[in-house]
Amino acid sequence: MAAPLCTDLLGERMVLLHNWPMSPISQRLSVASLLSGVLVLIAAITPIAASGAEEKHRLRIVDAFSEGVSSGSEIHAVPEEQVQKIMNNEPNDIQGTRKFCETLNSDACKEKTGLGLRIFLPACDATIVNYCIDGLAISSSGDTLTEGALLGYTTARKYAADPTRGVPEAATTSRWKVPNALNAASTDTYAVKVLLDGYLSANSKNLFVFQVSALVEPYLETSTANSTAVECTSWQSGSACGVRKDFAAGQKTRLSVRLPNTITGWLHGRLKGASISVDTYDATQNRLTVTAENVRVPELDTELSLTEMNTLANPAYFRPGGRQWNSVNAGNPASLEWVRQLAKPLNDKATGEHTTWAFNTIPNNRGNNQCFKDTKSVLGVVMTNSLVYAPGAPDFDGTQLNYQVGGLHFKADGKTLNEGTYDLIMRSETARCLYNFTNAPISASVSVTYADGGEAKIATTSLSEKDGWLHLGAYGFTFSSPVLRVKLNGVPKTLPKANPTTSESKSQQQPTPQNSKNSPAKNYKVTCVKGKITKKIIAAKPMCPSGWKKK
């Protein structure tokens, strides 16, 4: 298996991680998905002490690799044959052959060559019309959104666009003001970080996008005399310092971005109650608009001595090649194992929490399933506030959609339960294709199961269908490593044949939908239990499945 791309925490330099102990989930992932930014490990490497010195090692799960102060956009010269290997999902030697481009006129980059891009997208304007931020709007509270205005960018590495080579404008973190949309720090300023990772062919000028990630974070601007001040948790621009703050309760954010229309499949979001729209901007771009509330995400950020680490179930998991890895991305398959091993020394409690609003593209590893073959649109969005989560779209096992998340049981006080949120938005036509349903109304059941057989708890579930999108939400479940299972129920397109010879028998094969646009059905909920598993049934006439009891 090819080694996954990784990123160090300070310089954002791409490196290859070898000999990482793979979990069963990661072993099933393709090379392309491992190269995707969803699985990027964010790590600072420190040698393991040879003696018994009790130095502390930091262990941290990072929510998004665009968090924190950035050194700006990065472009590398990459031999064209290596770019083609990446595009064809073949083994490659990107790490050994690429060369950094300080500018596009650097010696290694001015000649005809493939390029590796890791660039921040700028705001759209009269001259920047490709791959850019089309708009930001945020509410103070409730549903009324106020349009934001660009204040400027941070002083970091940028690249001017080169249309002759297909290189888009590469910017830095953008700073926005949204009048009167006050966050928890009573400021109306927000940083927007939309990061595109991909490779550009020198021959075809085609851009192969691995991932796009977007992050909106409130900030309080201060000043600092230090060139690399630790208090600058959002951005730093000279002596100006952006300190990351929380969103206010109930704030909604809407972000619109122009992206290559080759970006399809699924999105993952640190969002709640999202709505999305995708419309054609021009022949090569779509406009993706995401509107949602922020979510509060638990944190894991701790230090363990060498002795303490050696008491973990599998210490080698944290030190591949004999070197200590300090951080892992929340969407990396390894993060689920990190939570399992660190739950005991942390007494199963988080070290803190913060609000966030973010989304990113995730691989569409759907094999030969024709329902996922649409290459022109986004098929769905999966959203959760869980500390860690599976690194792809929900798995469809033929009967239900399964999605694994993980987390620590308690908040930092050791008493209050961490409660999870899960939202699934899927194109209605995709859902009906999966289940072979007609256009009749769909109902759903949601269950949460645990590997240890623990009792599931779901406080709220919801199901709605609007404008061609099916939205299902489950809220209030607890952790450790639950698997969320969604099963949809509807009217099949094909029913068993009964030798129809009369109009009566034909009508029995083609039941008329119970509801119409003028007479919508009202859905009801029942709670069903089977052993220690709880399931919610949402339908016009909900009934517990065979073997289940109504609670």
Side-chain angles (χ1 to χ4, degrees):
M1 175 178 288
L5 281 174
C6 303
T7 308
D8 74 43
L9 196 59
L10 299 178
E12 296 187 329
R13 297 178 295 276
M14 303 297 283
V15 296
L16 283 171
L17 171 60
H18 293 281
N19 302 320
W20 181 267
M22 292 293 180
S23 67
I25 296 176
S26 62
Q27 290 171 353
R28 295 195 299 268
L29 298 173
S30 67
V31 173
S33 67
L34 284 171
L35 290 174
S36 168
V38 173
L39 306 185
V40 167
L41 275 170
I42 306 181
I45 305 177
T46 55
I48 296 294
S51 67
E54 288 295 293
E55 64 173 299
K56 292 284 188 177
H57 296 286
R58 189 179 187 186
L59 297 171
R60 182 185 181 199
I61 292 178
V62 184
D63 194 42
F65 57 81
S66 52
E67 290 181 338
V69 177
S70 169
S71 57
S73 295
E74 292 186 2
I75 296 180
H76 288 82
V78 178
E80 178 66 16
E81 64 269 18
Q82 297 297 324
V83 172
Q84 293 302 318
K85 287 181 178 180
I86 287 181
M87 292 182 174
N88 295 323
N89 197 23
E90 298 173 356
N92 59 78
D93 186 24
I94 293 294
Q95 181 66 20
T97 58
R98 68 181 192 152
K99 297 180 179 179
F100 178 69
C101 305
E102 188 62 45
T103 71
L104 290 176
N105 292 320
S106 301
D107 289 343
C109 307
K110 62 183 179 183
E111 305 298 334
K112 184 178 180 180
T113 179
L115 296 173
L117 308 179
R118 193 175 193 222
I119 60 176
F120 287 89
L121 301 190
C124 305
D125 60 22
T127 59
I128 301 175
V129 296
N130 294 323
Y131 312 157
C132 52
I133 301 167
D134 211 12
L136 173 72
I138 299 177
S139 71
S140 180
S141 62
D143 295 328
T144 303
L145 295 163
T146 302
E147 295 289 339
L150 179 69
L151 293 175
Y153 300 92
T154 59
T155 53
R157 190 182 305 105
K158 304 176 183 178
Y159 299 86
D162 186 348
T164 64
R165 301 175 69 176
V167 179
E169 189 83 13
T172 62
T173 298
S174 57
R175 300 177 293 108
W176 297 70
K177 182 180 178 64
V178 186
N180 300 317
L182 301 181
N183 51 56
S186 298
T187 73
D188 58 3
T189 49
Y190 298 83
V192 179
K193 305 172 183 180
V194 182
L195 194 59
L196 182 149
D197 278 286
Y199 285 87
L200 188 65
S201 168
N203 295 333
S204 66
K205 299 180 184 177
N206 289 335
L207 178 61
F208 180 75
V209 179
F210 277 146
Q211 185 192 39
V212 173
S213 63
L215 175 69
V216 178
E217 54 189 18
Y219 70 84
L220 171 68
E221 184 169 345
T222 62
S223 60
T224 179
N226 299 322
S227 58
T228 56
V230 295
E231 66 268 20
C232 302
T233 49
S234 177
W235 56 266
Q236 185 170 358
S237 189
S239 60
C241 177
V243 181
R244 181 173 182 170
K245 296 296 181 179
D246 278 347
F247 285 93
Q251 274 194 294
K252 282 189 175 181
T253 298
R254 182 180 68 219
L255 182 67
S256 296
V257 188
R258 298 178 199 168
L259 298 172
N261 58 14
T262 55
I263 297 177
T264 60
W266 291 74
L267 302 178
H268 174 272
R270 291 299 206 183
L271 310 166
K272 182 180 178 182
S275 63
I276 68 171
S277 66
V278 182
D279 59 87
T280 301
Y281 179 78
D282 58 24
T284 63
Q285 297 182 102
N286 287 335
R287 181 191 289 110
L288 171 66
T289 301
V290 178
T291 306
E293 291 183 40
N294 62 87
V295 292
R296 186 167 292 276
V297 178
E299 297 172 350
L300 191 160
D301 188 351
T302 189
E303 291 183 339
L304 296 181
S305 68
L306 188 61
T307 299
E308 290 169 327
M309 291 201 64
N310 286 335
T311 64
L312 298 176
N314 184 6
Y317 210 89
F318 298 86
R319 51 179 78 134
R323 289 180 175 270
Q324 181 71 39
W325 284 84
N326 294 348
S327 305
V328 65
N329 186 280
N332 189 285
S335 64
L336 290 164
E337 182 62 23
W338 274 48
V339 170
R340 291 188 188 102
Q341 294 201 41
L342 293 173
K344 185 176 180 179
L346 290 175
N347 295 318
D348 213 4
K349 62 182 183 180
T351 57
E353 60 182 10
H354 66 275
T355 64
T356 189
W357 192 101
F359 67 84
N360 53 259
T361 58
I362 53 181
N364 186 11
N365 300 323
R366 294 294 150 212
N368 295 320
N369 193 318
Q370 294 300 311
C371 300
F372 294 105
K373 287 296 186 182
D374 189 341
T375 60
K376 298 180 181 179
S377 59
V378 173
L379 301 178
V381 186
V382 59
M383 297 162 280
T384 180
N385 73 334
S386 303
L387 175 62
V388 297
Y389 49 86
D395 290 325
F396 182 65
D397 63 9
T399 60
Q400 57 192 2
L401 290 159
N402 302 317
Y403 189 70
Q404 184 165 14
V405 297
L408 298 165
H409 206 59
F410 299 102
K411 293 181 180 291
D413 62 10
K415 299 178 181 178
T416 308
L417 291 175
N418 279 317
E419 294 192 351
T421 66
Y422 173 78
D423 290 87
L424 173 64
I425 299 179
M426 190 191 315
R427 284 192 177 273
S428 298
E429 59 186 357
T430 303
R432 288 185 163 83
C433 176
L434 283 174
Y435 291 93
N436 196 32
F437 288 162
T438 66
N439 289 330
I442 291 177
S443 63
S445 62
V446 184
S447 63
V448 180
T449 60
Y450 296 84
D452 60 4
E455 183 176 357
K457 173 181 179 290
I458 303 180
T460 309
T461 58
S462 65
L463 175 72
S464 61
E465 188 173 6
K466 183 180 179 182
D467 299 330
W469 293 93
L470 185 72
H471 176 204
L472 186 141
Y475 316 110
F477 57 88
T478 56
F479 297 97
S480 51
S481 300
V483 176
L484 296 146
R485 305 183 190 278
V486 175
K487 186 173 183 179
L488 303 181
N489 305 290
V491 179
K493 285 185 178 179
T494 58
L495 297 175
K497 294 184 178 181
N499 298 320
T501 56
T502 66
S503 59
E504 180 181 356
S505 61
K506 290 181 181 179
S507 66
Q508 290 176 349
Q509 291 191 66
Q510 299 173 351
T512 303
Q514 296 291 320
N515 312 295
S516 66
K517 291 183 179 179
N518 296 326
S519 180
K522 182 177 180 180
N523 282 338
Y524 298 89
K525 292 185 292 186
V526 297
T527 301
C528 306
V529 294
K530 184 178 182 181
K532 293 185 177 181
I533 301 175
T534 302
K535 176 184 293 189
K536 294 279 187 177
I537 306 294
I538 308 171
K541 295 182 178 181
M543 296 180 63
C544 291
S546 177
W548 294 72
K549 294 182 180 180
K550 184 176 179 181
K551 188 174 182 180

